[in-house]
Amino acid sequence: EFANGVKDVVDPEVRAYVSSLVTALGGSGADENGQYVLGDDALACLRDLKRWLKLYDEKANRLDVARCLAESNLVGGDLLQILAAWPENATDDKMKAKIALACLELLVPLTWPIEKNLAQMTVNHHRHIPYLEIAQLGYKRSIINFDGARILNTAVRCALPSMAQSPVDRSTRDEGIIKIVLYFFRNMALIAPPPNVKYDGDEADISRSATIDAFDYQDIFHLLLMMCSTMGEDFNTQDVVVMDILFHLVKGVDIEKLFMTETQLGNSQTDELVELRKKEAALLRGYQKSAPSRHNRFGAMAWISRENSKKTAISGQSAMTDATKGLAKMDSTKKFKPPRRAQKGYTGPMDFDAPVTLSPTATKHLRSFVEDFIDSGFNPLFSHIRKAIDREAERVLEIHSRQFFYLVGWFLEAERVRRKTKAVTRSKSPAASDIESFSLVAGVLNQEMFVTLNKAMDTAYENKVWNDLSASMRCFTQILLTVQEMSECPLEDDQDIAENILSRIFYEETTHDRVANITRTYKDQGFGYLDACTELCHNYLRILEQYSKQNVDLQVRSKRRVRRNKKAARAAGNDEPEDDVIDESENEDEAKAEQASRERKFDFKRFAARFLVQGCVDTFIAFTHFYNDLKPSQLKRAHRYFYRVAFKQEMSVMLFRVDIIALFYKMIKGPEGLDSSLPSFKEWNDLVKQLIKKCTRKMEERPELVVEMLFSKISSTAHFLEYGYDKQTVTSK
Amino acid sequence: SRKRGDDLGLDEEIEVTKKPRAPRVKLDEHRLLSDAGIPKLRKKAKAHLKFKGKGHEYSDAANLLAFYQLWLDDLFPKAKFLDALSMVEKLGHKKQIQTMRMEWINEGRPRSSVHEDT
């Protein structure tokens, strides 16, 4: 307890020990021109501090020592000064190297991401974590912006002797050193202001851009490239940590923007501004249309007369001019809100849906790194990790498979965008002979990868781990798009390979089922998931349709049970009870045989009919509800789907529901409708118009639709309403 | 002093009676199937719902939406239009409503096809 009655949050004895250690570490003296001077027993002090962290904080599951160290400014005041005092020309100094390593051994636990596991948190955690989270931001800022020396580069120098050895010669200690340095970079890349916390300092100092600039300036990208390209040869177990670093560097980065030239980026930013101003103007115009033209106490009153001489009074002049506005006004005065479930969006360091903007220099640096990585590190790193995931290596955690799929998807997209930009520049210069093959990314296009991906999607779907599923869906989408591009590539070898892969993807009916099921079962998993699953569905349908047109006799392997056979087998089975056991195993064999795959001809129309169920429609409707925030490509995706439902498959009845009509009407006619200057506006206008026309005609044709307009329809009802007769179903007798 | 307290009724036990809260009006299958519900919707639709057709798509749609909105406002005044719609949609999964929906659809079926089925 202090003199003023404030109670200290940390045991005073602990505080005393720790701060005396910090003091003994060293300091800057006036007689040395303010230079930092190491204490006599600095190394021992550093080791003691490490011991405190380990034996007090970790063992007792408290955060007291970390809190004390944060309050005493150990990182900025001492550790960084000590690291800076190890100049590059003194790399051979054994003592200094040892001390530098000891500093790193403290920095890594101090910057380690704090897990908030509600079940295991104690009072102490709740007390210290908010403070420590802010402190970590300060650590990151002082480390990557340190003026005196390149701290990250110094860290690399600590590990260089260990890295230089061949993996067989490395001791456990060497492996540990390499790991510590890598984790240090991981922490630097990961630390970001936690959600819902306002950071006092300048966010630009710790932003992603600052991190990327620092990694470039301090040659960390070189180290990462070197490690990735020799993964499996010079490095083995470090793969997941390296991937962790990559993940935190590129998550949420917009690839299109990354590959724009600076002028393009400038243009696009101006365009963006113009677009935004236009959007704002349209918004204001929308309001002004219904805004009162007189002062707010003008007091106009109107009524809507309804049946049985019933009247509803509404106030305000806007209501008098227009019946729809009057009804909208009537609706807006209602207060009742039905109970609603909150959306399950995820925020935190593992979130990859939050978009990130990069500064021009950071964009340049990251782009060159990404290009180098695809050229040299993509195949070795990702093949190596895929193998580790497959054999469930001990170092692979759950989080790593999510990162793996996200990164594979991300880099595949980056490669596609890069090819596109290259193609543009190549068409200008006539040297068209240097068409590159897709071998740079071939490491993730083999059969093993599909097995892993399919398995991951299945388990994520079954265990309801939506973020994992979202990542693997993105990966799958990018693989599809890459393979499709490959099949259009002028190189014949690539065409053959692509053909092969596509046939393998579309050959398995389980994949068809999976995509349909995922699309069907969306339910408040957040926008990122919704985006991923609609994107997959759109591209899967599109590419499969194209493929099945080219290969008319496509066969699929399906796993259909034939109940009939089973029954017959049972009927033929022996009735005597002692034969039961044998009978059972026979039945099992039978079942397995039934499970066994049988091939049948693929019929795209029938396949696409699976996407006409209400669940899929609802998913796309949920997606379309965000129409004002969707990018042109996303709007197009939704448009194509509804077009397919209504006109290609002729099941527009699935869209005849009052809330859907209301949404479409609002999109076109407002208020807050789709911006009419958008290029896609016309497409939507046509679609909605046609739909409404069909809908009104249908309602006249079949009056019973008046009721069904309120409800979700099962496919047999929908079929009857659409065609006027029941679906012919083949029944086996 | 005790006497005065008696006069004032201070010592008497006060009976705390909890007045039951007025039951909340709910939009449930009974309300939806009552006279003001879907039966009324069907009757009204026959009389009022007229469309102009080609060239008037959006005014037709506005008409259609207004038709449903006013019906829902009569049926369950306190909820907003879109909220009420989703509540009704949810009720559509109930057994009772599903059978009624089938009946209404079957009314629209041509007689002969029903016979064929059975």
Side-chain angles (χ1 to χ4, degrees), chain A residues 306-307 310 324 327 330-331 334 336 338 340 658-659 662 665 668-669 685 688-689 692-693 696 699-700 704 706-712 717 720 726, chain B residues 38 40-42 44-45 49 51 54 57-58 61-62 64-66 68-71 73-74 77-81 83 85 88-89 92 101 104-105 109 117:
Chain A
R306 325 233 318 234
E307 58 195 7
K310 193 176 143 194
T324 14
L327 285 174
M330 183 181 106
D331 211 40
K334 296 182 177 179
F336 171 75
R340 248 189 216 120
V658 186
D659 58 329
Y665 182 80
I668 304 298
K669 287 282 162 185
N685 190 11
V688 174
K689 217 187 222 169
I692 294 172
K693 194 159 71 184
T696 51
M699 285 185 83
E700 280 165 348
E704 57 271 24
V706 172
V707 178
E708 287 301 307
M709 284 281 287
L710 291 168
F711 303 110
S712 296
T717 315
F720 170 72
D726 284 316
Chain B
I38 288 178
K40 182 175 158 199
L41 180 79
R42 303 181 55 193
K44 260 178 73 176
L49 209 53
F51 299 114
K54 197 172 182 256
E57 284 85 5
Y58 289 111
L64 182 73
L65 293 174
Y68 280 104
Q69 189 179 347
L70 288 173
W71 168 70
D73 186 59
D74 282 338
K78 75 175 176 182
K80 292 186 182 186
F81 182 38
D83 292 339
L85 276 180
V88 170
E89 198 281 320
R101 278 169 67 191
W104 288 318
I105 288 177
R109 254 174 233 262
D117 275 355

Coordinates of all heavy atoms in Angstrom, one line a residue, chain A residues 306-307 310 324 327 330-331 334 336 338 340 658-659 662 665 668-669 685 688-689 692-693 696 699-700 704 706-712 717 720 726, chain B residues 38 40-42 44-45 49 51 54 57-58 61-62 64-66 68-71 73-74 77-81 83 85 88-89 92 101 104-105 109 117:
Chain A
R306 N -57.9 2.8 -44.7 CA -57.8 1.4 -45.0 C -59.2 0.8 -45.0 O -60.2 1.6 -44.9 CB -57.0 0.7 -43.8 CG -55.8 1.7 -43.3 CD -54.5 1.1 -43.3 NE -54.4 -0.3 -42.8 CZ -53.6 -0.6 -41.9 NH1 -52.9 0.3 -41.2 NH2 -53.5 -1.9 -41.5
E307 N -59.3 -0.5 -45.1 CA -60.6 -1.1 -45.2 C -61.4 -0.8 -43.9 O -60.8 -0.5 -42.9 CB -60.4 -2.5 -45.5 CG -59.6 -3.2 -44.4 CD -59.2 -4.6 -44.9 OE1 -59.4 -4.9 -46.0 OE2 -58.6 -5.3 -44.0
K310 N -61.1 2.2 -41.5 CA -60.1 2.4 -40.6 C -59.0 3.3 -41.1 O -58.8 3.3 -42.3 CB -59.5 1.0 -40.3 CG -58.6 0.9 -39.1 CD -58.1 -0.6 -38.9 CE -56.7 -0.6 -38.5 NZ -56.1 -1.9 -38.6
T324 N -45.9 5.1 -51.0 CA -44.8 4.2 -50.5 C -44.1 4.9 -49.3 O -43.8 4.2 -48.4 CB -43.8 3.9 -51.6 OG1 -43.9 4.8 -52.7 CG2 -43.9 2.5 -52.1
L327 N -46.1 4.6 -46.3 CA -46.0 3.3 -45.6 C -44.7 3.1 -44.9 O -44.6 2.5 -43.9 CB -46.2 2.2 -46.7 CG -47.7 2.0 -47.2 CD1 -47.7 1.0 -48.3 CD2 -48.5 1.5 -46.1
M330 N -44.9 4.9 -41.7 CA -45.7 4.1 -40.8 C -44.8 3.0 -40.2 O -44.9 2.8 -39.0 CB -46.9 3.5 -41.5 CG -47.8 2.8 -40.7 SD -49.1 2.2 -41.8 CE -48.7 0.4 -41.8
D331 N -44.0 2.4 -41.0 CA -43.2 1.3 -40.5 C -42.1 1.8 -39.6 O -41.8 1.2 -38.6 CB -42.5 0.6 -41.7 CG -42.3 -0.8 -41.5 OD1 -43.2 -1.5 -40.9 OD2 -41.2 -1.3 -41.9
K334 N -42.5 2.3 -35.7 CA -42.7 1.1 -34.8 C -41.4 0.8 -34.0 O -40.3 0.9 -34.5 CB -43.1 -0.1 -35.6 CG -44.4 0.0 -36.3 CD -44.8 -1.2 -37.1 CE -46.2 -1.0 -37.7 NZ -46.6 -2.1 -38.5
F336 N -41.0 -2.0 -31.8 CA -40.8 -3.4 -31.4 C -39.6 -4.0 -32.2 O -39.5 -3.9 -33.4 CB -42.1 -4.2 -31.6 CG -41.9 -5.7 -31.4 CD1 -41.8 -6.2 -30.1 CD2 -41.9 -6.5 -32.5 CE1 -41.7 -7.6 -30.0 CE2 -41.8 -7.9 -32.3 CZ -41.6 -8.4 -31.1
P338 N -37.8 -7.8 -32.6 CA -37.8 -9.2 -32.2 C -36.4 -9.6 -31.7 O -35.4 -9.0 -32.1 CB -38.1 -10.0 -33.5 CG -37.8 -9.1 -34.5 CD -38.0 -7.7 -34.0
R340 N -32.8 -11.0 -31.4 CA -32.0 -11.4 -32.5 C -30.7 -12.0 -31.9 O -30.2 -11.5 -30.9 CB -31.7 -10.2 -33.3 CG -32.3 -10.4 -34.7 CD -31.9 -9.3 -35.6 NE -33.0 -9.0 -36.5 CZ -33.6 -7.8 -36.5 NH1 -33.1 -6.8 -35.8 NH2 -34.6 -7.6 -37.3
V658 N -41.8 -12.6 -50.2 CA -42.0 -11.2 -50.0 C -40.7 -10.4 -49.6 O -40.4 -9.4 -50.1 CB -43.1 -10.9 -49.0 CG1 -43.4 -9.4 -49.0 CG2 -44.4 -11.7 -49.4
D659 N -40.0 -11.0 -48.7 CA -38.8 -10.3 -48.2 C -37.7 -10.2 -49.3 O -37.0 -9.2 -49.4 CB -38.2 -11.0 -47.0 CG -37.8 -12.4 -47.2 OD1 -38.5 -13.1 -48.0 OD2 -36.9 -12.9 -46.6
A662 N -38.9 -7.5 -51.6 CA -38.7 -6.2 -50.9 C -37.2 -5.8 -51.0 O -36.9 -4.6 -51.3 CB -39.1 -6.3 -49.5
Y665 N -36.5 -4.8 -54.6 CA -37.2 -3.5 -54.9 C -36.4 -2.3 -54.3 O -36.1 -1.3 -54.9 CB -38.6 -3.5 -54.4 CG -39.4 -2.3 -54.6 CD1 -40.0 -2.1 -55.9 CD2 -39.5 -1.3 -53.7 CE1 -40.7 -0.9 -56.1 CE2 -40.2 -0.1 -53.9 CZ -40.8 0.1 -55.2 OH -41.5 1.2 -55.4
I668 N -33.2 -1.3 -56.2 CA -33.3 -0.5 -57.4 C -34.0 0.8 -57.1 O -33.5 1.9 -57.6 CB -34.2 -1.3 -58.4 CG1 -33.6 -2.7 -58.7 CG2 -34.3 -0.5 -59.7 CD1 -32.2 -2.6 -59.3
K669 N -35.0 0.8 -56.3 CA -35.8 2.0 -56.1 C -35.5 2.8 -54.9 O -36.1 3.8 -54.6 CB -37.3 1.6 -56.2 CG -37.8 1.3 -57.6 CD -38.0 2.5 -58.4 CE -38.0 2.1 -59.9 NZ -38.2 3.3 -60.7
N685 N -31.0 -4.1 -62.6 CA -32.3 -3.5 -62.9 C -33.1 -4.5 -63.8 O -34.2 -4.8 -63.6 CB -32.1 -2.1 -63.6 CG -33.4 -1.4 -63.8 OD1 -34.4 -1.8 -63.2 ND2 -33.4 -0.4 -64.6
V688 N -34.2 -7.7 -61.9 CA -35.3 -7.4 -61.0 C -36.6 -7.2 -61.7 O -37.6 -7.8 -61.4 CB -34.9 -6.3 -60.0 CG1 -36.1 -5.9 -59.2 CG2 -33.7 -6.6 -59.2
K689 N -36.4 -6.4 -62.8 CA -37.6 -6.2 -63.6 C -38.2 -7.5 -64.1 O -39.4 -7.8 -64.0 CB -37.2 -5.3 -64.8 CG -38.3 -4.3 -65.1 CD -37.9 -3.6 -66.4 CE -38.1 -2.1 -66.3 NZ -37.5 -1.4 -67.4
I692 N -39.8 -9.5 -61.3 CA -41.1 -9.0 -60.9 C -42.2 -9.3 -61.9 O -43.3 -9.7 -61.6 CB -41.1 -7.5 -60.6 CG1 -40.1 -7.2 -59.4 CG2 -42.4 -7.0 -60.3 CD1 -39.8 -5.8 -59.2
K693 N -41.8 -9.2 -63.2 CA -42.8 -9.5 -64.2 C -43.3 -10.9 -64.1 O -44.4 -11.2 -64.1 CB -42.2 -9.2 -65.6 CG -43.2 -9.2 -66.7 CD -42.7 -8.5 -67.9 CE -41.7 -9.2 -68.7 NZ -41.2 -8.5 -69.8
T696 N -45.5 -11.4 -60.9 CA -46.9 -11.0 -61.0 C -47.7 -11.9 -61.9 O -48.9 -12.2 -61.6 CB -47.0 -9.5 -61.5 OG1 -46.2 -9.4 -62.7 CG2 -46.5 -8.6 -60.4
M699 N -48.5 -15.0 -60.1 CA -49.5 -14.8 -59.1 C -50.9 -14.8 -59.7 O -51.9 -15.3 -59.1 CB -49.3 -13.6 -58.3 CG -48.1 -13.7 -57.3 SD -47.9 -12.3 -56.3 CE -49.1 -12.6 -55.0
E700 N -51.0 -14.3 -60.9 CA -52.3 -14.3 -61.5 C -52.7 -15.7 -62.0 O -53.8 -16.1 -61.9 CB -52.3 -13.3 -62.7 CG -52.5 -11.9 -62.3 CD -52.1 -10.9 -63.4 OE1 -51.5 -11.3 -64.4 OE2 -52.4 -9.7 -63.2
E704 N -52.8 -19.4 -55.4 CA -52.3 -20.0 -54.2 C -50.9 -19.5 -53.8 O -50.4 -19.6 -52.7 CB -52.3 -21.5 -54.2 CG -51.5 -22.1 -55.3 CD -52.3 -22.3 -56.6 OE1 -53.3 -21.6 -56.7 OE2 -52.0 -23.2 -57.4
V706 N -50.1 -16.5 -53.4 CA -50.3 -15.4 -52.5 C -49.8 -15.8 -51.1 O -49.1 -15.1 -50.4 CB -51.7 -14.9 -52.4 CG1 -51.9 -13.9 -51.3 CG2 -52.1 -14.3 -53.8
V707 N -50.2 -17.0 -50.7 CA -49.8 -17.5 -49.4 C -48.3 -18.0 -49.4 O -47.5 -17.7 -48.5 CB -50.7 -18.7 -49.0 CG1 -50.3 -19.2 -47.6 CG2 -52.1 -18.2 -48.9
E708 N -48.0 -18.7 -50.5 CA -46.6 -19.3 -50.5 C -45.6 -18.2 -50.6 O -44.4 -18.4 -50.3 CB -46.5 -20.3 -51.7 CG -47.2 -21.6 -51.4 CD -46.7 -22.3 -50.2 OE1 -45.5 -22.5 -50.1 OE2 -47.5 -22.6 -49.3
M709 N -45.9 -17.0 -51.0 CA -45.0 -15.9 -51.1 C -44.4 -15.6 -49.7 O -43.4 -14.9 -49.6 CB -45.7 -14.6 -51.6 CG -46.0 -14.5 -53.0 SD -44.5 -14.1 -54.0 CE -44.4 -12.4 -53.6
L710 N -45.1 -16.0 -48.7 CA -44.7 -15.7 -47.3 C -43.6 -16.7 -46.8 O -42.9 -16.4 -45.9 CB -45.9 -15.7 -46.4 CG -46.9 -14.7 -46.5 CD1 -48.1 -15.0 -45.7 CD2 -46.4 -13.3 -46.1
F711 N -43.6 -17.9 -47.4 CA -42.8 -18.9 -46.8 C -41.7 -19.5 -47.7 O -41.7 -19.2 -48.9 CB -43.7 -20.1 -46.5 CG -44.9 -19.7 -45.6 CD1 -46.2 -19.7 -46.1 CD2 -44.7 -19.4 -44.3 CE1 -47.3 -19.4 -45.3 CE2 -45.8 -19.1 -43.5 CZ -47.0 -19.1 -44.0
S712 N -40.8 -20.2 -47.0 CA -39.8 -20.9 -47.7 C -40.5 -22.1 -48.4 O -41.4 -22.7 -47.8 CB -38.7 -21.5 -46.8 OG -38.0 -20.4 -46.2
T717 N -43.0 -28.4 -53.7 CA -44.0 -27.3 -53.8 C -43.6 -26.4 -54.9 O -44.4 -25.9 -55.8 CB -44.0 -26.6 -52.5 OG1 -44.1 -27.5 -51.5 CG2 -45.2 -25.7 -52.5
F720 N -44.1 -27.7 -58.3 CA -45.6 -27.6 -58.7 C -46.0 -26.2 -59.1 O -46.6 -26.0 -60.1 CB -46.5 -28.1 -57.6 CG -47.9 -27.9 -57.9 CD1 -48.6 -28.6 -58.8 CD2 -48.6 -26.9 -57.2 CE1 -49.9 -28.3 -59.1 CE2 -49.9 -26.6 -57.4 CZ -50.6 -27.3 -58.4
D726 N -46.8 -32.1 -60.7 CA -45.8 -32.6 -59.8 C -44.6 -33.2 -60.5 O -44.7 -33.6 -61.6 CB -46.4 -33.7 -58.9 CG -47.3 -33.1 -57.8 OD1 -46.9 -32.2 -57.2 OD2 -48.4 -33.7 -57.7
Chain B
I38 N -54.1 -15.6 -42.5 CA -54.0 -16.0 -43.9 C -55.3 -16.1 -44.7 O -55.4 -15.7 -45.8 CB -53.2 -17.3 -44.1 CG1 -51.7 -17.0 -43.7 CG2 -53.3 -17.9 -45.4 CD1 -50.8 -18.1 -43.7
K40 N -57.8 -14.2 -44.4 CA -58.1 -12.8 -44.9 C -57.2 -12.4 -46.1 O -57.7 -11.8 -47.0 CB -57.9 -11.9 -43.7 CG -58.3 -10.4 -44.1 CD -58.2 -9.6 -42.8 CE -58.0 -8.1 -43.2 NZ -57.4 -7.4 -42.1
L41 N -56.0 -12.8 -45.9 CA -55.0 -12.5 -47.0 C -55.5 -13.1 -48.3 O -55.5 -12.4 -49.4 CB -53.7 -13.1 -46.7 CG -52.5 -12.8 -47.7 CD1 -52.0 -11.4 -47.5 CD2 -51.4 -13.8 -47.5
R42 N -56.0 -14.3 -48.3 CA -56.4 -14.9 -49.5 C -57.7 -14.3 -50.1 O -57.8 -14.1 -51.3 CB -56.7 -16.4 -49.3 CG -55.5 -17.2 -48.7 CD -55.8 -18.6 -48.5 NE -56.3 -19.2 -49.7 CZ -56.9 -20.4 -49.8 NH1 -57.0 -21.1 -48.8 NH2 -57.3 -20.8 -51.0
K44 N -58.6 -11.2 -49.6 CA -58.3 -9.8 -50.0 C -57.6 -9.9 -51.4 O -57.8 -9.1 -52.3 CB -57.4 -9.1 -49.0 CG -58.1 -8.2 -48.1 CD -57.2 -7.5 -47.1 CE -56.3 -6.5 -47.8 NZ -55.4 -5.8 -46.8
A45 N -56.7 -10.9 -51.5 CA -55.9 -11.0 -52.7 C -56.8 -11.2 -53.9 O -56.6 -10.6 -55.0 CB -55.0 -12.2 -52.6
L49 N -55.8 -7.6 -55.4 CA -54.5 -7.7 -55.9 C -54.6 -7.7 -57.5 O -54.9 -8.7 -58.1 CB -53.8 -8.9 -55.4 CG -52.3 -8.7 -55.3 CD1 -51.9 -7.5 -54.6 CD2 -51.7 -10.0 -54.7
F51 N -52.6 -6.5 -61.1 CA -51.3 -6.0 -61.6 C -51.5 -5.4 -63.0 O -52.3 -5.9 -63.8 CB -50.3 -7.1 -61.7 CG -50.0 -7.7 -60.3 CD1 -50.4 -9.0 -60.0 CD2 -49.4 -7.0 -59.4 CE1 -50.1 -9.6 -58.8 CE2 -49.2 -7.5 -58.1 CZ -49.5 -8.8 -57.8
K54 N -46.6 -5.8 -67.9 CA -45.4 -5.3 -68.6 C -45.3 -3.8 -68.6 O -46.3 -3.1 -68.9 CB -45.4 -5.8 -70.0 CG -44.1 -5.8 -70.7 CD -44.2 -6.5 -72.0 CE -42.8 -6.5 -72.6 NZ -42.3 -5.8 -73.5
E57 N -43.5 -2.8 -64.0 CA -43.0 -3.8 -63.0 C -42.9 -3.2 -61.6 O -43.3 -3.7 -60.6 CB -41.7 -4.3 -63.4 CG -41.8 -5.3 -64.6 CD -41.8 -4.7 -65.9 OE1 -41.7 -3.4 -66.0 OE2 -42.0 -5.4 -66.9
Y58 N -42.3 -2.0 -61.6 CA -41.9 -1.5 -60.2 C -43.2 -1.0 -59.5 O -43.3 -1.1 -58.3 CB -40.9 -0.4 -60.3 CG -39.5 -1.0 -60.7 CD1 -38.9 -0.8 -61.9 CD2 -38.9 -1.9 -59.8 CE1 -37.7 -1.4 -62.2 CE2 -37.7 -2.5 -60.1 CZ -37.2 -2.3 -61.3 OH -36.0 -2.9 -61.6
A61 N -44.7 -4.0 -58.1 CA -44.0 -4.5 -57.0 C -44.3 -3.7 -55.7 O -44.6 -4.2 -54.7 CB -42.5 -4.5 -57.2
A62 N -44.4 -2.3 -55.9 CA -44.7 -1.5 -54.8 C -46.1 -1.8 -54.3 O -46.3 -1.9 -53.1 CB -44.6 0.0 -55.2
L64 N -47.7 -4.7 -54.6 CA -47.6 -6.0 -53.9 C -47.1 -5.9 -52.5 O -47.6 -6.4 -51.5 CB -46.7 -6.9 -54.7 CG -46.6 -8.3 -54.3 CD1 -47.8 -9.1 -54.5 CD2 -45.4 -9.0 -54.9
L65 N -46.0 -5.1 -52.3 CA -45.4 -4.9 -51.0 C -46.3 -4.2 -50.1 O -46.5 -4.6 -48.9 CB -44.1 -4.2 -51.1 CG -43.0 -5.0 -51.9 CD1 -41.7 -4.1 -52.1 CD2 -42.6 -6.2 -51.1
A66 N -47.0 -3.2 -50.6 CA -48.0 -2.4 -49.8 C -49.1 -3.3 -49.3 O -49.5 -3.3 -48.2 CB -48.5 -1.3 -50.6
Y68 N -49.0 -6.6 -48.8 CA -48.6 -7.4 -47.7 C -48.3 -6.6 -46.4 O -48.6 -7.0 -45.3 CB -47.3 -8.2 -48.0 CG -47.6 -9.4 -48.9 CD1 -47.3 -9.4 -50.2 CD2 -48.1 -10.6 -48.3 CE1 -47.6 -10.5 -51.0 CE2 -48.3 -11.7 -49.1 CZ -48.1 -11.7 -50.4 OH -48.3 -12.8 -51.1
Q69 N -47.8 -5.4 -46.6 CA -47.5 -4.6 -45.4 C -48.7 -4.2 -44.6 O -48.8 -4.3 -43.4 CB -46.7 -3.3 -45.8 CG -46.2 -2.6 -44.6 CD -45.4 -1.3 -45.0 OE1 -45.1 -1.1 -46.2 NE2 -45.2 -0.5 -44.0
L70 N -49.8 -3.8 -45.4 CA -51.0 -3.4 -44.7 C -51.7 -4.6 -44.0 O -52.2 -4.5 -42.9 CB -52.0 -2.8 -45.7 CG -51.5 -1.4 -46.1 CD1 -52.4 -0.9 -47.2 CD2 -51.5 -0.4 -44.9
W71 N -51.6 -5.8 -44.7 CA -52.2 -7.0 -44.1 C -51.4 -7.3 -42.8 O -52.0 -7.6 -41.7 CB -52.1 -8.1 -45.1 CG -52.4 -9.5 -44.5 CD1 -53.6 -9.9 -44.0 CD2 -51.4 -10.5 -44.2 NE1 -53.5 -11.2 -43.5 CE2 -52.1 -11.6 -43.6 CE3 -50.1 -10.7 -44.4 CZ2 -51.5 -12.8 -43.2 CZ3 -49.5 -11.8 -44.0 CH2 -50.2 -12.9 -43.4
D73 N -49.7 -5.3 -40.9 CA -50.0 -4.3 -39.9 C -51.3 -4.5 -39.2 O -51.4 -4.2 -38.0 CB -50.0 -2.9 -40.6 CG -50.1 -1.8 -39.6 OD1 -49.2 -1.7 -38.7 OD2 -51.1 -1.0 -39.6
D74 N -52.3 -5.0 -39.9 CA -53.5 -5.3 -39.3 C -53.4 -6.6 -38.4 O -53.9 -6.6 -37.3 CB -54.6 -5.7 -40.3 CG -55.2 -4.4 -40.9 OD1 -55.0 -3.3 -40.3 OD2 -55.7 -4.4 -42.0
P77 N -49.7 -5.5 -35.4 CA -49.4 -4.1 -35.6 C -48.0 -3.7 -35.1 O -47.4 -2.7 -35.6 CB -50.5 -3.3 -34.9 CG -51.5 -4.2 -34.6 CD -50.9 -5.6 -34.6
K78 N -47.5 -4.3 -34.0 CA -46.3 -3.8 -33.4 C -45.0 -4.0 -34.1 O -44.1 -3.3 -33.9 CB -46.3 -4.2 -31.9 CG -45.8 -5.6 -31.7 CD -45.7 -5.8 -30.2 CE -45.3 -7.2 -29.8 NZ -45.3 -7.4 -28.4
A79 N -45.0 -5.0 -35.0 CA -43.7 -5.3 -35.6 C -43.5 -4.6 -36.9 O -44.5 -4.4 -37.6 CB -43.6 -6.8 -35.8
K80 N -42.3 -4.3 -37.2 CA -42.0 -3.7 -38.5 C -42.2 -4.7 -39.6 O -42.2 -5.9 -39.4 CB -40.6 -3.2 -38.6 CG -40.3 -2.0 -37.7 CD -38.9 -1.5 -37.8 CE -38.8 -0.4 -36.8 NZ -37.6 0.4 -36.9
F81 N -42.4 -4.2 -40.8 CA -42.7 -5.0 -41.9 C -41.7 -6.2 -42.1 O -42.1 -7.4 -42.1 CB -42.8 -4.2 -43.2 CG -43.1 -4.9 -44.5 CD1 -44.1 -5.9 -44.4 CD2 -42.5 -4.6 -45.7 CE1 -44.5 -6.5 -45.6 CE2 -42.9 -5.2 -46.8 CZ -43.9 -6.2 -46.8
D83 N -39.5 -7.4 -40.1 CA -39.4 -8.3 -38.9 C -40.6 -9.2 -39.0 O -40.5 -10.4 -38.7 CB -39.5 -7.5 -37.7 CG -38.2 -6.6 -37.5 OD1 -37.2 -7.0 -38.1 OD2 -38.2 -5.6 -36.7
L85 N -42.3 -10.2 -41.5 CA -42.2 -11.2 -42.5 C -41.3 -12.3 -42.1 O -41.7 -13.5 -42.4 CB -41.5 -10.5 -43.8 CG -42.4 -9.8 -44.7 CD1 -41.6 -9.2 -45.8 CD2 -43.5 -10.7 -45.3
V88 N -43.2 -14.6 -39.8 CA -44.2 -15.4 -40.5 C -43.4 -16.6 -41.2 O -43.9 -17.7 -41.1 CB -45.0 -14.6 -41.5 CG1 -45.8 -15.5 -42.4 CG2 -45.9 -13.6 -40.7
E89 N -42.3 -16.2 -41.8 CA -41.6 -17.3 -42.5 C -41.2 -18.4 -41.5 O -41.3 -19.6 -41.9 CB -40.3 -16.6 -43.1 CG -39.7 -17.4 -44.2 CD -38.8 -18.6 -43.7 OE1 -38.1 -18.3 -42.7 OE2 -38.9 -19.6 -44.3
G92 N -43.8 -20.8 -40.8 CA -44.1 -21.7 -41.9 C -43.5 -23.1 -41.7 O -43.9 -24.0 -42.4
R101 N -50.9 -25.2 -45.6 CA -50.3 -24.8 -46.9 C -50.5 -25.8 -48.0 O -50.9 -25.5 -49.1 CB -48.8 -24.5 -46.7 CG -48.4 -23.2 -46.1 CD -47.0 -23.1 -45.7 NE -46.1 -23.2 -46.9 CZ -44.7 -23.4 -46.8 NH1 -44.2 -23.5 -45.6 NH2 -44.0 -23.4 -47.8
W104 N -54.1 -25.6 -49.1 CA -54.4 -24.4 -50.0 C -53.8 -24.7 -51.4 O -54.4 -24.3 -52.4 CB -53.8 -23.2 -49.4 CG -54.5 -22.7 -48.2 CD1 -55.8 -22.6 -48.0 CD2 -53.9 -22.2 -47.0 NE1 -56.2 -22.1 -46.8 CE2 -55.0 -21.8 -46.1 CE3 -52.6 -22.0 -46.5 CZ2 -54.8 -21.3 -44.9 CZ3 -52.4 -21.5 -45.3 CH2 -53.5 -21.1 -44.4
I105 N -52.6 -25.3 -51.4 CA -52.1 -25.6 -52.7 C -52.9 -26.6 -53.5 O -53.2 -26.4 -54.7 CB -50.6 -26.1 -52.6 CG1 -49.7 -24.9 -52.2 CG2 -50.1 -26.7 -53.9 CD1 -48.3 -25.3 -52.0
R109 N -54.9 -27.1 -57.4 CA -54.6 -28.2 -58.3 C -55.8 -28.6 -59.2 O -56.9 -28.6 -58.7 CB -54.2 -29.5 -57.5 CG -52.7 -29.7 -57.5 CD -52.5 -30.9 -56.6 NE -51.5 -30.5 -55.6 CZ -50.2 -30.9 -55.8 NH1 -49.8 -31.6 -56.8 NH2 -49.3 -30.5 -54.9
D117 N -53.2 -39.2 -58.9 CA -52.2 -39.6 -57.8 C -52.7 -40.7 -57.0 O -52.0 -41.5 -56.5 CB -52.0 -38.3 -57.0 CG -50.9 -37.5 -57.6 OD1 -50.3 -37.9 -58.6 OD2 -50.6 -36.4 -57.1

